[in-house]
Amino acid sequence: MAMLESVLIANRGEIACRIIRTARRLGMRTIAVHSEADAGALFVQMADESHFIGPAPARDSYLRIDKIIEVAKRTGAASIHPGYGFLSERAEFAEACAEAGIVFVGPPASAINAMGLKDAAKALVQQAGVPVVPGYHGAQQAPDFLRGQADEIGYPVLIKAVAGGGGKGMKRVERAADFEAALESAQREAASAFGDPRVLVEKYVLSPRHIEIQVFADRHGNVVHLFERDCSLQRRHQKVIEEAPAPGMTPEMRAVMGKAAVEAARAVGYVGAGTVEFIADGREGLRPDRFYFMEMNTRLQVEHPVTEAITGLDLVELQFRVASGEALPFGQDDLAITGHAVEARLYAEDPEKEFLPSTGKLWALDFPEREELRVDTGVQTGDEVTPFYDPMIAKVIAHAPTREEALAKLADALGNTLVAGPKTNVAFLKKLCEAPEFRAGRFDTGFIDRNLDALGAVAHGMDAEAVRLGVLKLIDMEFDARSYHALMGNGSATSPWDDSDGFQLAGARRQGFPVAVDGERVDVVVQWPAPGDAHADEEVTVSWNGDASGMISDYLSSDMRGLVPTDEGVIVVRDGRQTRVAPYDPFDVDLAHLNGGNAVKAPMHGKLVALFVKPGERVEKGQRLAIVEAMKMEHALVAPADGEVEEISAEPGMQVAEGARLIVLRTEE
Ligand code: ADP
Ligand code: ADP
Ligand code: MG
């Protein structure tokens, strides 16, 4: 059967690049569509052709079915691959492709619909004999009724949006007294995120392990599974590290789970790549009678590379083959697991600030190259991480004969990954890979939350060594731009710090260097050797508060790769942590200080989606004032103290810049 002539990729970033790579290898013409924000993106450069579809916000571009179909028709695209996220699980999109006579690289619309709502999906697979989490997934939504159901199920319970995804609208409830408030907030979140307030209530499985099965089906009635992935390392119900196979999995349990997943796929007439997600009760290890269906994702999954690593298959190639009508080239018995694979999701976020998403220019992005180490990314040095889309920068995947070796390889790769610009979770991921309990295979979905301190996800103080290195780098940059002699005082000095208080001290020269360290002023003193000193280079010292000092020799022997020049100064990267050091600019004052700290500022670039207060209104400390949305996540802004709303300088729907003052409170004291 002939391979599809071409594919339009209705997605962006890392997954668009990944799809293009396989499509090109198969000889297909690759057609990208892009938003305004992505005009210069890597996937646009990689594709054979690229077409503009609208402004940056996804709803105006990547979610516009009409525009994408129009480009597909105009370019004669034989197929459309939706990637994940965006339109990948929208039945209307699959239907629109069919109507336009274009092959949708995914399941039939009917299968997407059948699995689209969690309640209906549970009912359907239960009929097919698949175990589901005990709970209520019926139509009744009255609070009293649902609380009655929760009492019967027994606490803790989990309230979930039936239309949910991305961990939104999900609330764990510990006791009956908290049920109503949790229900209300789950319904509110569900209504705003999915336009559907309906929820289901299920047993909260204890010591939960998220184990999912990759399935594949063709149009000829063949359905197989490609084994499991363990995605238990999560934060806010979102995956952080995934691996295959699952630690503690037995061949017996794998066979039972694989069969259940295949049954679920058969029950909806599935075609293509899909994932059946299960939650396993891990209190006594993995047991074949203690796993339950959660949902089916009717698309390729973010973590598919770990399955590719252990099976040696290219899942995107298989998707294209199945979409073009070919039969699966193997049966269940032909498949085997080779070694162990682990994937880490590198995010633009700040673990020291409760994982707040971080945006900005990537001044440096560099990954190590190793045998059986795979890096999937959609960005490169010089690109901007914008607030419009997912904060994922890259996926780093290690494959090795054993789990121990795969984790060691991944930890080493993360330790040698350089990112300067947006804050990232790279140091956090490395610590996760090295955590002894996780290494030993003792973990569940609560592991990250229980170990935030040990994993370094707490505010750290200033990195003194980074400041010393940064100052020396700034001086070094001046050396390049001007001349050594100018800075030594023999000539016309033009350094930005020249008019500060340089003075002579027994032949040596001391100079005050006010610098901004992550925006905070630090008064550094640099001591230069006397002019003409033979060891001049080694004797420059950097100190402040009298307690820290550094020598140029330390600087010269440090890893220069981690000293990244920017337009303002330098970013020093040490152990994955970034410190910004720049010449201090006295005009760059922080407005919040002028407001006695009662200004509520946007924590990041994003969109103000809700404002809960009006000028003159009284608020209590901790009260939610507004919500800013960035990178698919919502962040509540809360009142820093009791007080009265004095001023509001933004309105819902507005894009706001990081640090912008949105609300000013007049407080009591
Ligand atoms: P998965 O279940 O495939 O691991 P997640 O549950 O982590 O994915 O992702 C939540 C949602 O966000 C899913 O709908 C997924 O398709 C989407 N998503 C995740 N990462 C990206 C990305 N880089 N680009 C677009 N969509 C994404
Ligand atoms: P989403 O559509 O947001 O991916 P899921 O139903 O897949 O929603 O659940 C997301 C995560 O929430 C799971 O990976 C798991 O960690 C946790 N979870 C879901 N259901 C349960 C449950 N019944 N007990 C314990 N944890 C659960
Ligand atoms: Mg899920």
Side-chain angles (χ1 to χ4, degrees):
M1 210 164 293
M3 181 44 68
L4 300 158
E5 180 269 331
S6 54
V7 60
L8 180 149
I9 300 103
N11 212 300
R12 61 177 301 282
E14 163 273 319
I15 187 59
C17 294
R18 191 258 166 276
I19 293 165
I20 291 171
R21 248 177 274 127
T22 291
R24 176 152 302 145
R25 186 169 54 73
L26 297 175
M28 301 166 74
R29 177 166 58 102
T30 56
I31 305 156
V33 290
H34 70 86
S35 72
E36 212 168 304
D38 284 334
L42 188 59
F43 75 95
V44 170
Q45 294 169 29
M46 278 174 69
D48 293 319
E49 50 186 284
S50 188
H51 302 268
F52 173 75
I53 48 166
R59 69 176 174 285
D60 300 324
S61 47
Y62 299 107
L63 293 174
R64 286 287 299 265
I65 294 178
D66 55 342
K67 288 195 184 176
I68 293 171
I69 296 286
E70 189 270 314
V71 173
K73 283 183 176 162
R74 182 151 48 86
T75 56
S79 66
I80 294 186
H81 196 308
Y84 34 69
F86 297 129
L87 296 170
S88 61
E89 293 182 278
R90 293 268 289 272
E92 327 73 291
F93 188 48
E95 272 156 10
C97 290
E99 268 163 40
I102 300 163
V103 173
F104 177 71
V105 184
S110 55
I112 299 178
N113 270 331
M115 290 297 184
L117 296 176
K118 290 186 204 290
D119 53 349
K122 277 181 84 173
L124 198 141
V125 303
Q126 194 169 23
Q127 273 178 15
V130 176
V132 302
V133 188
Y136 175 75
H137 48 267
Q140 296 210 50
Q141 296 290 311
D144 282 347
F145 176 82
L146 290 176
R147 200 188 38 224
Q149 291 296 316
D151 291 343
E152 252 172 63
I153 295 164
Y155 289 89
V157 299
L158 194 63
I159 304 176
K160 274 188 195 179
V162 301
K168 280 187 190 162
M170 207 178 283
K171 300 281 163 198
R172 177 180 162 158
V173 195
E174 297 298 328
R175 50 202 183 105
D178 300 335
F179 186 84
E180 256 185 76
L183 175 65
E184 231 173 80
S185 108
Q187 286 171 329
R188 196 175 46 232
E189 257 180 64
S192 93
F194 313 112
D196 181 346
R198 288 175 302 152
V199 297
L200 57 84
V201 183
E202 62 185 33
K203 177 97 194 138
Y204 186 85
V205 172
L206 294 171
S207 280
R209 291 269 298 274
H210 174 119
I211 298 181
E212 58 186 35
I213 304 276
Q214 175 72 54
V215 294
F216 237 102
D218 63 21
R219 285 182 212 287
H220 308 276
N222 305 304
V223 188
V224 299
H225 69 83
L226 305 180
F227 315 110
E228 78 280 5
R229 291 183 289 256
D230 190 323
C231 313
S232 301
L233 287 192
Q234 303 187 343
R235 221 181 53 75
R236 305 216 301 197
H237 307 297
Q238 293 278 81
K239 299 157 187 170
V240 177
I241 284 189
E242 306 102 337
E243 61 182 306
M249 178 61 83
T250 60
E252 182 202 7
M253 178 151 179
R254 177 174 296 129
V256 176
M257 287 186 87
K259 182 164 175 292
V262 166
E263 295 300 331
R266 280 197 194 284
V268 294
Y270 203 78
V271 176
T275 294
V276 183
E277 294 189 330
F278 295 100
I279 194 90
D281 174 340
R283 281 176 301 172
E284 296 171 80
L286 297 179
R287 288 178 35 169
D289 59 343
R290 292 207 185 150
F291 73 91
Y292 313 94
F293 171 89
M294 276 192 300
E295 65 166 346
M296 179 167 186
N297 293 326
T298 53
R299 54 171 162 89
L300 191 69
Q301 203 96 339
V302 174
E303 58 275 19
H304 75 278
V306 295
T307 300
E308 296 187 320
I310 62 156
T311 58
L313 298 168
D314 178 334
L315 298 199
V316 174
E317 174 180 348
L318 285 174
Q319 285 188 298
F320 283 131
R321 292 199 179 284
V322 164
S324 71
E326 288 183 31
L328 285 172
F330 44 69
Q332 190 67 56
D333 295 341
D334 302 319
L335 297 164
I337 296 176
T338 306
H340 199 99
V342 194
E343 170 181 284
R345 297 190 189 193
L346 179 63
Y347 281 121
E349 64 184 15
D350 188 355
E352 294 184 33
K353 280 193 192 155
E354 293 176 352
F355 297 90
L356 200 66
S358 185
T359 54
K361 180 167 170 165
L362 285 160
W363 292 97
L365 179 64
D366 187 28
F367 299 96
E369 281 177 33
R370 304 268 192 281
E371 280 282 291
E372 294 209 82
L373 180 77
R374 168 173 168 183
V375 178
D376 279 19
T377 185
V379 284
Q380 47 193 342
T381 298
D383 283 355
E384 197 84 26
V385 175
T386 71
F388 302 108
Y389 315 109
D390 193 272
M392 197 162 73
I393 294 175
K395 307 186 294 205
V396 184
I397 306 107
H399 183 216
T402 64
R403 181 171 192 263
E404 189 61 34
E405 292 165 286
L407 283 169
K409 185 187 288 190
L410 184 56
D412 170 70
L414 292 165
N416 286 287
T417 292
L418 176 69
V419 195
K423 290 281 161 70
T424 78
N425 63 344
V426 71
F428 173 78
L429 291 172
K430 179 165 182 280
K431 284 219 163 87
L432 259 178
C433 291
E434 293 167 342
E437 290 282 291
F438 175 56
R439 278 263 165 132
R442 286 191 298 272
F443 62 102
D444 58 35
T445 60
F447 184 85
I448 289 180
D449 282 338
R450 284 195 301 272
N451 292 285
L452 287 175
D453 285 15
L455 296 167
V458 282
H460 287 53
M462 188 175 78
D463 180 349
E465 182 60 17
V467 177
R468 284 193 287 275
L469 293 172
V471 168
L472 289 166
K473 177 69 180 177
L474 289 177
I475 293 169
D476 200 5
M477 285 154 71
E478 282 299 310
F479 279 173
D480 290 346
R482 330 229 175 233
S483 82
Y484 177 79
H485 294 290
L487 274 161
M488 293 297 287
N490 310 329
S492 62
T494 47
S495 146
W497 308 296
D498 270 350
D499 48 4
S500 54
D501 56 337
F503 55 92
Q504 302 288 124
L505 186 102
R509 180 176 145 93
R510 283 168 63 83
Q511 196 168 23
F513 266 48
V515 291
V517 176
D518 290 330
E520 298 279 330
R521 178 175 178 152
V522 175
D523 286 300
V524 165
V525 174
V526 178
Q527 182 163 323
W528 309 90
D533 189 317
H535 304 289
D537 277 4
E538 288 151 37
E539 291 173 19
V540 179
T541 60
V542 175
S543 61
W544 62 95
N545 294 339
D547 58 15
S549 82
M551 305 257 291
I552 203 136
S553 48
D554 302 339
Y555 164 69
L556 291 171
S557 63
S558 73
D559 179 8
M560 293 287 168
R561 201 172 146 256
L563 302 174
V564 182
T566 69
D567 53 355
E568 290 178 333
V570 56
I571 297 174
V572 183
V573 191
R574 288 199 340 119
D575 299 328
R577 252 188 111 216
Q578 301 179 41
T579 303
R580 284 174 186 259
V581 185
Y584 178 72
D585 177 358
F587 299 106
D588 197 12
V589 281
D590 186 352
L591 286 173
H593 290 302
L594 300 181
N595 268 295
N598 293 326
V600 179
K601 299 191 288 179
M604 66 215 156
H605 293 279
K607 189 173 134 187
L608 188 72
V609 290
L611 189 61
F612 303 118
V613 290
K614 292 192 180 66
E617 198 172 318
R618 295 205 48 81
V619 295
E620 282 173 26
K621 181 175 177 175
Q623 185 177 331
R624 292 201 322 165
L625 305 177
I627 290 180
V628 173
E629 186 191 71
M631 298 170 141
K632 304 197 310 180
M633 280 182 274
E634 291 185 350
H635 299 266
L637 305 185
V638 301
D642 290 354
E644 188 176 302
V645 177
E646 190 167 79
E647 191 190 316
I648 296 181
S649 31
E651 52 188 85
M654 244 168 89
Q655 283 295 136
V656 294
E658 179 178 340
R661 197 172 48 148
L662 305 180
I663 297 168
V664 177
L665 298 182
R666 189 183 312 121
T667 51
E668 324 294 66
E669 60 273 4

